[in-house]
Amino acid sequence: MDEFIQGFWNFAGNYWWLIFPIMGMAGGAAKAWEQGSKRRHERRLETLRMKAQLKTAEIEARALTQQAKRRGPSVVDTTASVVPNDLVARLFAEHDEITARWLDYELDVAKLIAFPAMSDGRQPLTAAFLRAKKTADALRPASAEAKVSEQQITEYLQAVGDYAVAFEIAEKDARRLRDSTFTAPERKRLERAQQLLKVAVDESATQAERNVAYKRVREELDGLILLSDDAVTVLEKQVAKEISAPAAAAEEPERMRLPLRDEKPRDANTPAGPARTLPLPGDDDGGTPR
């Protein structure tokens, strides 16, 4: 026992500095747990507030029904929804906001390359988010004016809450992972795809350069990231966007080019020299793009 205690103190004396990174890790874990608890508490309070509104609306509806029975059976429509429209509208707004944040990743190829886990259903947290999205979409009423019961709105409220929390967790995990789940050669391909994508959407590049860059982006991402049809459509529109040019330059008539003082006039029968091409990112030889 004495030898164990002596060995412990020898270890502590030699590696006392380990206490600082251990304390940092413990502090980070405690902070993350505290933030998660705060989010869960806020969500629980919001759920309780909305349930209280539902209960109040139901009580008011029952009171109106009792008054209608005393005054006459045809005064109040007892089949009307007991849920206030502004409550459903608030849930719709939160639902749409989360979906818009997700589409910002799903349709932006640059973001998909930077955070590929957001489109990878094999990642557990991303898969959980997609399941929560499916549930919330299925429970969403047809409109804010639709007649819904307390049970329906309660289920939809819970689904939207789960949807919001699942997205936040999946987003933070994707930003943490980035491309760490890929091998070194695959990360090189993703890096080349990022550089080529800048050329593909660059309005100052020629249409031919953008087309070649777009083709090579698809080649680099093949087998690494699956682009949705909507994402491909958005990217193709960006690639095919017309190059903006000043209107005055387009309307200016063609002028005869005069030779410079030291320049020899070129004979009409002399063939022109070869056209120069700009190298694209990823070309090792700096020559004509592949």
Side-chain angles (χ1 to χ4, degrees):
M1 186 66 180
D2 294 338
E3 294 180 357
F4 173 78
I5 296 177
Q6 185 64 32
F8 170 78
W9 287 115
N10 290 336
F11 175 83
N14 293 329
Y15 298 96
W16 58 268
W17 50 270
L18 287 175
I19 191 173
F20 297 105
I22 292 175
M23 289 178 63
M25 294 172 60
K31 186 177 180 180
W33 182 85
E34 181 182 359
Q35 291 176 349
S37 299
K38 184 178 179 181
R39 285 196 302 270
R40 290 190 294 270
H41 180 66
E42 291 175 350
R43 177 64 58 186
R44 193 176 299 111
L45 290 178
E46 181 66 17
T47 302
L48 291 175
R49 282 194 295 267
M50 289 188 174
K51 286 185 176 180
Q53 291 183 12
L54 287 172
K55 184 60 66 176
T56 301
E58 183 181 9
I59 293 173
E60 291 177 353
R62 289 176 180 174
L64 290 175
T65 302
Q66 294 297 329
Q67 293 177 5
K69 289 180 179 179
R70 288 194 297 267
R71 296 177 182 177
S74 60
V75 176
V76 177
D77 180 11
T78 57
T79 63
S81 171
V82 298
V83 181
N85 292 339
D86 61 336
L87 176 59
V88 182
R90 285 168 54 194
L91 289 175
F92 276 14
E94 184 174 2
H95 191 162
D96 293 339
E97 180 185 358
I98 302 165
T99 301
R101 291 172 62 187
W102 171 67
L103 287 176
D104 194 32
Y105 287 95
E106 188 70 10
L107 301 181
D108 190 339
V109 178
K111 279 194 171 183
L112 280 179
I113 296 175
F115 310 107
M118 284 301 293
S119 64
D120 189 356
R122 296 170 299 180
Q123 296 293 332
L125 297 179
T126 303
F129 159 71
L130 293 175
R131 288 194 298 268
K133 179 183 185 303
K134 185 177 181 180
T135 301
D137 291 343
L139 294 175
R140 178 172 178 144
S143 67
E145 293 76 21
K147 296 180 180 180
V148 289
S149 65
E150 179 184 358
Q151 179 66 25
Q152 289 174 311
I153 200 63
T154 301
E155 292 177 353
Y156 180 52
L157 169 64
Q158 184 64 43
V160 172
D162 294 342
Y163 185 31
V165 173
F167 175 80
E168 291 180 3
I169 295 175
E171 182 183 38
K172 288 184 178 180
D173 189 62
R175 288 182 173 272
R176 177 184 64 84
L177 290 175
R178 289 186 176 269
D179 59 358
S180 61
T181 58
F182 295 88
T183 63
E186 289 173 340
R187 288 196 291 270
K188 287 290 185 181
R189 290 176 57 186
L190 291 176
E191 183 179 352
R192 286 195 297 267
Q194 285 179 325
Q195 297 299 323
L196 289 163
L197 183 62
K198 295 178 181 178
V199 179
V201 299
D202 186 1
E203 295 185 13
S204 64
T206 66
Q207 188 62 58
E209 290 170 344
R210 286 188 287 176
N211 290 341
V212 172
Y214 166 74
K215 180 180 179 181
R216 292 188 54 189
V217 168
R218 298 296 304 274
E219 292 174 353
E220 295 291 355
L221 296 182
D222 185 28
L224 297 181
I225 298 177
L226 179 61
L227 301 180
S228 65
D229 293 339
D230 292 336
V232 172
T233 300
V234 171
L235 179 57
E236 288 179 347
K237 288 182 179 179
Q238 293 175 333
V239 173
K241 187 176 181 181
E242 293 183 2
I243 301 176
S244 58
E251 297 175 357
E252 184 179 2
E254 183 179 357
R255 298 180 181 179
M256 181 179 295
R257 178 181 178 276
L258 297 178
L260 300 177
R261 179 180 300 177
D262 298 332
E263 182 181 4
K264 295 181 181 181
R266 184 171 59 87
D267 186 75
N269 297 325
T270 303
R276 296 180 60 189
T277 57
L278 297 176
L280 292 174
D283 292 320
D284 299 331
D285 55 357
T288 306
R290 291 187 284 114

